[in-house]
Amino acid sequence: MSLELVHHHADFVVLNKPAGLSFHSEFEPGLVALAEAQLGEKLYAVHRLDKGTSGLILLARSSEAAAQLSALFANGAIDKWYLALSGGKPKKKQGWVKGDMVQARRSAWMLTTAQSNPAISYFISAGLADAGRRAYLVKPYTGKTHQVRVALKSVGAALLGDELYKGGQADRLYLHAYALGFDWQGQRMELLLKPDQGDFFTSPALQQLLDQAWAKPWDLGFPFFHRQAAADAAQTD
């Protein structure tokens, strides 16, 4: 498998992770192993994507860069935006989703009303003129397992292709790591990658939305948030 190189930097590379490819090697080489073989160098994981999720993945090219990038991710200093598709009508069309996450059955998670260590996300959405599907642009401010999937499930918008959370049937999990934004060595990095897998992701209606309205997620006015303000933010709408 040949991986698409989205951005090449002296300190890191950014790749397009295909849906269905494991991050770490299991019964066959995972994304990190494939990237190392393709680029001919040691690479270091600083964040990860679920197997069914496609899109932007950043790998450090040295242990020093890995430590710095890991700290940025841990401190919420790297902005991430995810693109998702769902069927049906959500309980709300945009806003905060906040709450503690607890494990449920079958490796699933669920959102609770408790706020002791909340998963916090903000989303906007838009209807698509094809079979009642709705697109979501989600910015997670914390980094919990399955956070985006659980957040949208909690507002009645389980993702298409998400069998674990009882989303509608589809040819893939409709979740894509769409954009990254962060400051690195005095330079602002803004990276965006449109999805290229899945019939619904490549539909003309979605492509038009991305080109006309969501081409620059960092300019869309998502609320500012800092990890130290998590307790206060979790109590407001």
Side-chain angles (χ1 to χ4, degrees):
M1 178 181 293
S2 179
L3 299 170
E4 178 188 356
L5 180 63
V6 178
H7 186 79
H8 189 279
H9 189 278
D11 297 317
F12 58 84
V13 295
V14 181
L15 302 168
N16 178 10
K17 177 194 171 296
L21 175 63
S22 295
F23 187 76
H24 295 295
S25 298
E26 296 176 340
F27 301 106
E28 55 188 18
L31 178 131
V32 177
L34 289 173
E36 289 179 332
Q38 180 174 321
L39 299 176
E41 61 179 296
K42 173 67 176 174
L43 297 170
Y44 301 80
V46 294
H47 69 132
R48 60 164 293 163
L49 296 175
D50 291 340
K51 182 175 183 178
T53 307
S54 60
L56 295 173
I57 190 76
L58 189 154
L59 298 172
R61 301 182 66 196
S62 69
S63 57
E64 294 79 10
Q68 295 177 56
L69 288 164
S70 294
L72 291 179
F73 275 107
N75 294 327
I78 294 183
D79 296 319
K80 299 175 289 183
W81 290 268
Y82 287 82
L83 178 66
L85 291 184
S86 176
K89 185 177 180 180
K91 298 175 184 177
K92 59 181 181 180
K93 296 181 179 179
Q94 72 176 58
W96 292 103
V97 180
K98 309 164 188 172
D100 291 352
M101 288 176 57
V102 298
Q103 279 198 289
R105 296 181 297 174
R106 299 188 305 123
S107 301
W109 293 79
M110 62 181 295
L111 198 73
T112 73
T113 57
Q115 302 286 338
S116 60
N117 183 24
I120 300 178
S121 306
Y122 192 91
F123 75 92
I124 61 176
S125 69
L128 300 175
D130 52 1
R133 286 183 286 273
R134 193 167 191 87
Y136 297 81
L137 190 60
V138 186
K139 184 177 182 182
Y141 293 86
T142 50
K144 311 291 186 181
T145 301
H146 293 184
Q147 179 169 327
V148 173
R149 296 163 68 183
V150 173
L152 292 181
K153 166 73 172 179
S154 74
V155 298
L159 305 189
L160 291 169
D162 197 343
E163 296 180 3
L164 184 61
Y165 294 101
K166 297 180 171 57
Q169 291 187 345
D171 57 342
R172 59 159 293 181
L173 172 66
Y174 275 84
L175 182 61
H176 178 78
Y178 180 55
L180 292 171
F182 60 100
D183 294 319
W184 182 255
Q185 309 296 349
Q187 181 181 7
R188 182 64 181 173
M189 308 298 301
E190 293 177 341
L191 302 165
L192 183 140
L193 179 68
K194 293 166 65 174
D196 58 7
Q197 286 179 279
D199 293 339
F200 300 151
F201 266 159
T202 57
S203 71
L206 179 63
Q207 295 300 309
Q208 183 178 29
L209 172 67
L210 298 182
D211 290 339
Q212 296 182 357
W214 293 355
K216 295 182 178 181
W218 37 82
D219 289 340
L220 292 178
F222 277 79
F224 174 78
F225 176 86
H226 193 276
R227 290 294 180 91
Q228 294 179 348
D232 292 336
Q235 301 300 323
T236 62
D237 289 321

